[in-house]
Amino acid sequence: MSNASEVAERLVAARSSGPVSWRDILPSDRAAAYAIQDATLARIGPAGGWKVGASNPEAEPICAPLPASCLLASGVRLGTGLLRGVEAEVALRVGRGLTIDDAALPDRELARAFDAAYPVIEVVETRLEDWTNSAALAQLADLQSHGALLIGPASTVSPASIDLRSVEAHISIGDDISKRTTGGNPAGDIWRLLRWLVRHCAERGAPLLPGHIVTTGSCTGMIFAQEGASVRARLAGFGEVAVDF
């Protein structure tokens, strides 16, 4: 693999010229993947937030910064992409700047650092050829396959009350595809995720800032939309969010 700056140049160019071979940009480890993320954001940033998730309650989380230009209001129409993957998620807004010391706070005290919760749809996209068979580290380098984040109206849910293990979510694509889940986010504990992210971002030199939106992983799993499709998601208590392709 070339250095992070060169790989980032290729991934940014791929946004307009078409996908690149994932083997040509494959980082050696997570640290190298995060360096590529940083170099990418230096070209297309600034960051407006972060995505964080984990494959199970014990797994080390992974994350990616979200370009501010990709944070969009519910109801917008997006152009077609390679994947058009969609996931319903819970997101929080950072209310105050967070330092590494905040990672040691008890759950309820950490929750006070977030001032709003939202229903969101993450659109999963890629700059990689053969994405289905691509290595996880290549996807991580490519901003963990982030395309856009559609943000619904702020909910009345208190951040301190959020338990991903009980969130009821429904996502649909037109009249043909529909998926309902309860507690479908595999990470389980939202505060374990956020505590890890606070520490990670502080150590990375990119701390969470007031106004950042943090989305916390899929509650529904991913489904794929066709061109021209309308996607709607509802998270019980949080509200609704939509996107059209």
Side-chain angles (χ1 to χ4, degrees), residues 74 86-92 117-122 149-157 162-172 179-185 190 215-221 231-242:
S74 174
V86 289
E87 303 174 331
E89 306 189 4
V90 170
L92 299 177
Y118 302 85
V120 301
I121 293 173
E122 184 180 15
L149 192 73
L150 288 303
I151 305 171
S155 75
T156 59
V157 174
I162 297 173
D163 185 350
L164 296 177
R165 293 162 290 197
S166 61
V167 171
E168 297 178 15
H170 175 220
I171 191 167
S172 62
K179 188 172 184 181
R180 297 178 185 272
T181 59
T182 298
N185 189 316
I190 191 172
T215 191
T216 57
S218 179
C219 293
T220 56
V231 181
R232 303 291 181 267
R234 181 179 61 81
L235 289 91
F238 293 88
E240 298 184 355
V241 58

Side-chain angles (χ1 to χ4, degrees), residues 96-183:
R96 65 169 177 82
L98 289 157
T99 70
I100 197 165
D101 291 339
D102 291 306
L105 292 175
D107 292 356
R108 287 198 169 272
E109 290 187 35
L110 181 57
R112 295 191 188 104
F114 298 87
D115 61 8
Y118 302 85
V120 301
I121 293 173
E122 184 180 15
V123 177
V124 176
E125 269 304 340
T126 188
R127 277 57 63 178
L128 308 178
E129 293 176 351
D130 194 19
W131 176 82
T132 301
N133 297 311
S134 61
L137 282 172
Q139 295 178 21
L140 184 62
D142 184 29
L143 300 186
Q144 192 55 25
S145 304
H146 177 68
L149 192 73
L150 288 303
I151 305 171
S155 75
T156 59
V157 174
S158 166
S161 70
I162 297 173
D163 185 350
L164 296 177
R165 293 162 290 197
S166 61
V167 171
E168 297 178 15
H170 175 220
I171 191 167
S172 62
I173 301 177
D175 297 325
D176 300 324
I177 300 174
S178 179
K179 188 172 184 181
R180 297 178 185 272
T181 59
T182 298

Side-chain angles (χ1 to χ4, degrees), residues 1-8 10 23-28 32 36:
M1 186 198 75
S2 303
N3 66 41
S5 181
E6 292 172 348
V7 172
R10 298 189 67 177
R23 294 176 178 83
D24 291 344
I25 63 93
L26 182 64
S28 56
I36 294 167

Side-chain angles (χ1 to χ4, degrees), residues 43-54:
R43 290 159 174 78
I44 66 171
W50 291 79
K51 61 182 290 186
V52 63

